[in-house]
Amino acid sequence: MMVRYGRLGAGGVPDARLDRSEALRYLGYTGQQIDEVLLTRFNRLADECERAIAPSFAWSIFGIDEKRTCWEAPEPAATGSLDALDAAIGAVVGCGAVSRQGAECGKGLVPQVALEGCDLVLEGNSIAEHLRGACKVALMACTLGAVSEREMRKYEAISVADGVMFGACCSALVEAAANITEDVIVRFAHDMGLSTNWRFSPGYGDLPLNAQPAFLRALDARRRLGISVTSTNMLVPVKSVTAVLGLFDELDNGGEARDACAVCCLRDGCELRKRGVTCHGR
C-alpha cells in the first residue's frame, strides 16, 4: 500500500494553526475572567509553539481482509468447558477469530477487522461497528515530533505554569494536525466517489491500545515520522495521534455513525458535552 507522508504546510497540505480556545479548554478554562498578564503569557507560548514545531503526517488506504475478519462475536459455548471453548475457537478460526486469551474476556470471542497488506488486526465491538459496511479503511498518524518533547522540557524548566500552558498548546496543535490529515483523507475518498466516517483511535471504545505497534508498522511511522511505542503501548513523542477512518460506497453514509461520543463510557456525565463541545475537536 502506498503511504503518503510529509510535513503540514508543504506539498499543498495546509499548515496547522492551533485553536487557542481549545488549548485554554485543556487548561480548564470555562469562561472565567483571565488576568491580562497571564493571557499575554499564554499567547506568547502559543505563538512560540506554532513557530518552533512543524507537525508531520502519514496515511494510507487498506482493503479489508474478509477471510480474517469477524464482524460479530460468536455465541460463547453453553457449557463453559475448556473443550467447548476449544471447539468454539476452532469453528471460527477460518474467519480470523482471536486467540483463547481474547476469548476468555468473559463474553466469548471478540469481533475483529483485519486489514490487507499488513499485520494490523483491529479488535473490539466498537471498531467493528465503526467499520461495518466499509469497503476500505484509512489509517493515519500525525506527530509534533521530537522537537515538541524538547520544547516542553525547556518550558517546564522555566516554570511549572509555562510548562503546563505550552503542553496545552502542543495538545491543541496536534489536534489541529489530526483534523487536517483527516480532511485530506476525506477529500481523497470523495474524489474516489466514497464517503468517510469520523476518525477512531486506539483507546476509544474497546479498541485496545495494544493495536499501536502494528498500526505504526503498517504506516512505517517509526522511520517516516519518528513515532515509536512504549512497552505499555503509549506513543512517543507523546504529542502524536493514530486513527482509523472507514471508507464507504454510499456518499451519504454517516448519520449517527459520525457521533464520536457514542462509544465513550464517560459520555453521560461529560462536562464537555454539556457545553456543546467534544474532546476530539469536531
Side-chain angles (χ1 to χ4, degrees):
M1 291 293 178
M2 177 181 178
V3 177
R4 295 164 174 82
Y5 65 100
R7 289 196 179 277
L8 298 184
V13 179
D15 200 1
R17 289 289 179 264
L18 69 90
D19 183 335
R20 299 187 184 208
S21 63
E22 184 86 352
L24 287 171
R25 181 171 64 77
Y26 291 144
L27 293 168
Y29 176 70
T30 57
Q32 60 268 46
Q33 186 69 31
I34 303 179
D35 178 78
E36 280 298 323
V37 174
L38 184 61
L39 185 59
T40 299
R41 191 172 169 188
F42 166 79
N43 283 322
R44 176 180 57 81
L45 290 167
D47 289 340
E48 182 61 21
C49 181
E50 290 181 330
R51 186 201 66 78
I53 299 172
S56 55
F57 69 92
W59 63 273
S60 187
I61 307 295
F62 295 82
I64 296 174
D65 186 344
E66 293 291 350
K67 291 183 178 179
R68 295 188 298 131
T69 293
C70 286
W71 295 104
E72 302 286 349
E75 290 295 326
T79 62
S81 68
L82 188 59
D83 289 342
L85 181 59
D86 283 335
I89 293 174
V92 296
V93 70
C95 70
V98 294
S99 64
R100 178 181 296 156
Q101 181 178 3
E104 290 175 347
C105 66
K107 293 188 178 180
L109 301 172
V110 179
Q112 65 177 34
V113 181
L115 304 187
E116 295 177 342
C118 66
D119 63 347
L120 178 59
V121 177
L122 303 165
E123 297 182 348
N125 291 285
S126 299
I127 193 63
E129 187 61 30
H130 186 67
L131 297 177
R132 189 181 302 277
C135 59
K136 294 182 183 298
V137 171
L139 302 183
M140 56 168 276
C142 54
T143 183
L144 301 191
V147 65
S148 65
E149 304 279 299
R150 185 188 71 229
E151 292 295 300
M152 284 192 293
R153 287 194 297 269
K154 180 180 78 175
Y155 285 106
E156 287 166 359
I158 293 172
S159 77
V160 172
D162 280 5
V164 171
M165 286 191 289
F166 191 82
C169 290
C170 286
S171 294
L173 185 60
V174 76
E175 185 69 22
N179 289 342
I180 291 171
T181 305
E182 180 181 355
D183 288 343
V184 169
I185 296 171
V186 170
R187 289 197 300 271
F188 179 85
H190 190 270
D191 289 344
M192 295 173 62
L194 303 174
S195 64
T196 67
N197 54 11
W198 51 276
R199 67 179 187 263
F200 195 111
S201 294
Y204 285 6
D206 60 353
L207 175 60
L209 286 174
N210 64 17
Q212 297 284 33
F215 202 119
L216 297 182
R217 287 194 298 271
L219 293 175
D220 195 14
R222 185 183 184 94
R223 181 175 67 87
R224 291 187 166 107
L225 304 180
I227 304 177
S228 59
V229 64
T230 69
S231 60
T232 55
N233 297 308
M234 303 303 292
L235 297 178
V236 178
V238 295
K239 301 305 181 182
S240 302
V241 172
T242 58
V244 183
L245 290 87
L247 277 62
F248 301 84
D249 287 322
E250 300 82 8
L251 279 177
D252 61 349
N253 181 80
E256 293 184 2
R258 292 184 179 272
D259 180 8
C261 301
V263 299
C264 180
C265 61
L266 302 177
R267 63 186 180 275
D268 292 337
C270 179
E271 292 298 321
L272 297 178
R273 280 169 59 85
K274 292 177 183 177
R275 299 202 302 269
V277 296
T278 69
C279 65
H280 53 85
R282 293 293 199 184

